[in-house]
Amino acid sequence: MKQFSFFQPAMLPVEGAGYLQGGYSITVNIEEKNLDTGKYIYLSAVVSNISNIAIGSGSISFWCKVFLDNDKKTLPLSNKNKNMMYLNKMEHYIGDINFFLEKKGLTTPIIIL
C-alpha cells in the first residue's frame, strides 16, 4: 500500500477563524495488484479540515475524481453506503474506487486527482 498526503493552506475570512483554518489536508491510499494484463487499483481518500469545528457549526463537502491520462477517462470516487471510523472530528471520508489499468505498449499510466 502507498500513501500520499497533500496540504493546502487557505484563509477563512470568518469571525473567529484564523489564517490557516480554511486549509485542508488530503490523504490518498493506493493499493495495487499486478496482473499479466495490467494493474488492479484500489484508491481511497480522506480529508482533514479544522474549519468545521473551529467555528462551531456548518458543514464541509469534498469530492474527488480520478483522471486516467492513458485512457482519457474520468472516474468519480464513491462514498455511498460506506462506514468509516474517524480518528478525530476533523477527518472526513471523501470516497474510494476500484479500477483496472491495462498494459498498453510502453506507456506509463498517469493518475490525476
Side-chain angles (χ1 to χ4, degrees):
M1 180 166 90
K2 297 175 186 172
Q3 188 176 69
F4 303 94
S5 294
F6 307 93
F7 177 70
Q8 176 64 51
M11 188 178 100
L12 187 62
V14 175
E15 185 177 343
Y19 175 69
L20 292 177
Q21 289 178 331
Y24 57 89
S25 175
I26 294 179
T27 302
V28 178
N29 297 300
I30 299 176
E31 292 180 34
E32 57 185 78
K33 182 178 179 182
N34 292 322
L35 302 172
D36 291 338
T37 56
K39 283 184 184 265
Y40 180 74
I41 306 276
Y42 172 75
L43 184 144
S44 66
V46 175
V47 66
S48 293
N49 179 280
I50 197 169
S51 65
N52 62 330
I53 63 168
I55 298 169
S57 64
S59 63
I60 191 161
S61 188
F62 285 85
W63 63 93
C64 189
K65 293 180 183 178
V66 173
F67 176 71
L68 304 177
D69 188 46
N70 58 335
D71 291 336
K72 306 297 185 218
K73 290 182 184 175
T74 301
L75 309 169
L77 271 64
S78 172
N79 63 4
K80 294 186 181 359
N81 302 320
K82 297 284 183 176
N83 295 317
M84 179 185 168
M85 288 182 61
Y86 297 102
L87 297 176
N88 56 51
K89 294 180 200 177
M90 296 186 303
E91 277 193 355
H92 300 279
Y93 181 64
I94 297 175
D96 62 83
I97 189 167
N98 291 301
F99 57 95
F100 184 76
L101 290 174
E102 291 182 46
K103 283 186 181 178
K104 293 186 176 181
L106 299 177
T107 63
T108 302
I110 298 172
I111 299 172
I112 300 171
L113 299 176

